[in-house]
Amino acid sequence: MYDVHCHLDQPSMLQRLDNITKAKVKGLLTSGINSMSWLENLRIAEKYPFNVSLGLHPFFVKDKDKQLDNLKKLLCESSVIAVGEIGLDYYNDYVSTKDIQQEVFYKQLVFARDLNLPVIVHCRKAYDDLYSILKKVQVPALIFHSFSGSEQDIIKMKEFNSYFSFGFPIVNENNKKHRRLVKLLSLDRLLLETDAPYMRTKQMNGENTYSDPTDIYLVYSAVAEVLGMSLIELVEQIERNVKTIWKNFKELSN
């Protein structure tokens, strides 16, 4: 099984890296979100066969100039396979930086275009502005991490070679929105993730513990049930989708 979005640089993940490599995770992508996170993810990837994406998350755009210069250098010098996660977030107080967010998002799309890299997108309550910016810069592919948009957003984003990733919220049987959206998606546009450790497994089993990529089977199992597919069929489909985006996606040797 592939986990296309997690954050292994976080403290709760660092102590679990050896266990993750031994579990039934075939491949994963860990995303850096600011300058400290970028360096830690690259350090981890020197020791473990993990894939890495780097980007300036909309939560960290205030110190944008120095960070963007560093990001561009790292993207050019490392084996990063995507730019991200990047995007727009207008939730609550974050809307106060929306102009800076838009500038930073555009500049990072240009990085991705120039380096021919896919983009991992974070978007919350900002799909109209996101769409307007995406029309200005063409990148190889977009992966909407933890997709929270609407059916209309899916339709609009199709023109950008978009893929849509779902995580733990879909495990909740009461999450009718995500379960409906997954059914509407073409299977060749579907990806799955944990967003570990930012999602807690207590959503499923009542325990107050943080997730890690080994929990990805919970997401696969829930989506297979929603789609009426066998787990094997879903695993094979997600693998095809991952390898369509990334020919060089690293895999674990377990």
Side-chain angles (χ1 to χ4, degrees):
M1 299 180 186
Y2 292 87
D3 180 359
V4 302
H5 193 89
C6 60
H7 301 274
L8 297 183
D9 60 294
Q10 295 304 298
S12 61
M13 292 290 95
L14 293 175
Q15 60 188 344
R16 307 185 194 183
L17 295 179
D18 287 332
N19 289 335
I20 291 170
T21 62
K22 298 172 185 176
K24 293 182 179 179
V25 182
K26 190 170 185 180
L28 56 81
L29 174 56
T30 177
S31 290
I33 56 178
N34 58 27
S35 55
M36 291 183 61
S37 174
W38 304 334
L39 296 176
E40 185 64 30
N41 273 293
L42 291 173
R43 185 191 67 78
I44 292 169
E46 290 178 355
K47 183 177 180 181
Y48 298 95
F50 301 149
N51 301 279
V52 176
S53 66
L54 304 179
L56 187 56
H57 190 285
F59 290 179
F60 305 103
V61 298
K62 289 185 177 180
D63 183 24
K64 60 182 175 60
D65 294 330
K66 182 178 180 181
Q67 291 202 82
L68 287 176
D69 288 341
N70 290 339
L71 175 62
K72 186 174 182 180
K73 181 179 180 181
L74 291 173
L75 290 172
C76 292
E77 295 179 352
S78 65
S79 57
V80 171
I81 68 167
V83 177
E85 65 186 279
I86 66 174
L88 305 176
D89 194 313
Y90 295 172
Y91 183 72
N92 289 350
D93 293 343
Y94 293 114
V95 73
S96 65
T97 63
K98 71 176 185 177
D99 291 340
I100 305 175
Q101 289 185 40
Q102 291 174 23
E103 175 192 351
V104 170
F105 181 51
Y106 174 81
K107 288 182 177 180
Q108 292 181 98
L109 288 176
V110 172
F111 293 168
R113 179 198 65 193
D114 293 347
L115 294 169
N116 196 36
L117 291 172
V119 171
I120 312 292
V121 178
H122 171 107
C123 187
R124 184 163 54 165
K125 298 184 178 296
Y127 279 94
D128 288 342
D129 285 346
L130 190 91
Y131 178 71
S132 297
I133 297 171
L134 288 172
K135 289 198 295 184
K136 299 176 183 178
V137 186
Q138 184 174 358
V139 298
L142 299 174
I143 297 90
F144 283 88
H145 133 70
S146 194
F147 181 68
S148 62
S150 65
E151 179 181 354
Q152 290 70 32
D153 293 321
I154 290 176
I155 294 170
K156 288 172 67 175
M157 299 304 167
K158 281 183 179 179
E159 68 181 86
F160 305 121
N161 191 25
S162 297
Y163 294 78
F164 302 88
S165 184
F166 293 83
F168 284 128
I170 204 167
V171 176
N172 184 348
E173 295 180 358
N174 294 322
N175 191 328
K176 296 180 180 180
K177 175 185 175 181
H178 283 186
R179 291 181 167 224
R180 177 176 57 83
L181 290 174
V182 161
K183 290 180 180 179
L184 293 173
L185 267 185
S186 173
L187 285 176
D188 63 355
R189 295 289 153 176
L190 175 63
L191 296 170
L192 301 177
E193 64 175 78
T194 61
D195 198 18
Y198 294 115
M199 294 289 182
R200 296 189 180 189
T201 54
K202 69 177 183 180
Q203 293 175 287
M204 282 72 69
N205 58 25
E207 297 179 3
N208 189 21
T209 57
Y210 287 98
S211 62
D212 71 35
T214 64
D215 297 316
I216 190 65
Y217 76 94
L218 296 168
V219 181
Y220 273 78
S221 298
V223 172
E225 181 180 357
V226 169
L227 295 178
M229 300 175 66
S230 72
L231 188 57
I232 292 176
E233 288 175 321
L234 181 61
V235 168
E236 291 175 345
Q237 180 65 58
I238 299 301
E239 180 171 351
R240 285 194 292 270
N241 297 349
V242 168
K243 292 185 176 179
T244 297
I245 303 168
W246 295 288
K247 307 301 181 188
N248 59 339
F249 199 86
K250 295 178 184 175
E251 296 182 347
L252 305 183
S253 58
N254 52 13

